[in-house]
Amino acid sequence: MGKLFFTVLLASAIGIFNLHGQSKQSKYQTINDCLQNRLITATAKSLGGHSGYCIELTVRNISGKNLFLEVEPGRRLVSHDSTMQDIFIVKSKKFELMAGQTMKFPVFGFCCQSHNSSPSFNSLFHIGFMAPPEWVKLAQLFDSVAYPESTMQ
């Protein structure tokens, strides 16, 4: 009787834990979707350079409720200055943003236009768009495996 009770209790606990993780996972929304729905404001600026953690993203929750957000791999941040390179994000960032909270964090990516110059410090970017499917697959691969930065570039 004791073993059966313990087994049922353990199975229930694992099931509840998995359901909680799945419901939290399904709540993640992209930065772009949240911007379009006016749930957040976001700005992206260069930290100088063209690879690695070279962008700082500032996100503010204006929705009045907690949000689960994702900066997805494969997003192309578009430079405000057409002479500077866009940045291709290859590492995802998932986070919770409380109502009214503002969060700043670095984003990992690479320049993706050889004919333009490296972004200068504090240059601004639009949140941009998702790159073509082949690029997104490549970014997802880089996000899932710990490749050296030089290999990804």
Side-chain angles (χ1 to χ4, degrees):
M1 180 69 173
K3 285 185 181 181
L4 178 61
F5 176 75
F6 179 73
T7 303
V8 170
L9 182 64
L10 182 60
S12 297
I14 290 171
I16 290 170
F17 178 74
N18 284 338
L19 283 175
H20 174 70
Q22 289 173 356
S23 69
K24 188 174 182 179
Q25 183 74 12
S26 66
K27 290 181 184 179
Y28 283 98
Q29 301 176 68
T30 67
I31 293 289
N32 191 60
D33 288 345
C34 290
L35 282 168
Q36 288 180 348
N37 293 318
R38 293 184 170 85
L39 301 175
I40 63 169
T41 60
T43 57
K45 68 178 183 176
S46 174
L47 295 173
H50 58 275
S51 65
Y53 287 102
C54 57
I55 296 289
E56 179 181 76
L57 194 59
T58 303
V59 183
R60 181 166 186 245
N61 183 346
I62 58 172
S63 73
K65 61 181 179 177
N66 296 352
L67 299 171
F68 292 93
L69 301 172
E70 177 181 15
V71 179
E72 64 272 52
R75 177 159 296 282
R76 184 170 171 167
L77 302 177
V78 178
S79 176
H80 282 213
D81 183 337
S82 63
T83 67
M84 293 186 196
Q85 295 198 41
D86 295 347
I87 299 293
F88 179 59
I89 298 173
V90 298
K91 295 288 184 180
S92 65
K93 172 74 174 174
K94 291 183 178 180
F95 57 100
E96 182 177 8
L97 196 61
M98 305 296 195
Q101 181 183 8
T102 299
M103 185 181 290
K104 290 183 180 187
F105 52 88
V107 177
F108 194 95
F110 296 97
C111 61
C112 58
Q113 296 171 299
S114 61
H115 59 279
N116 288 345
S117 65
S118 178
S120 58
F121 182 72
N122 281 336
S123 60
L124 299 176
F125 291 82
H126 298 284
I127 297 303
F129 55 90
M130 291 303 289
E134 299 80 16
W135 287 37
V136 172
K137 287 179 187 174
L138 182 63
Q140 290 170 338
L141 175 66
F142 290 156
D143 189 41
S144 67
V145 180
Y147 287 107
E149 189 174 317
S150 60
T151 301
M152 291 186 279
Q153 179 67 43

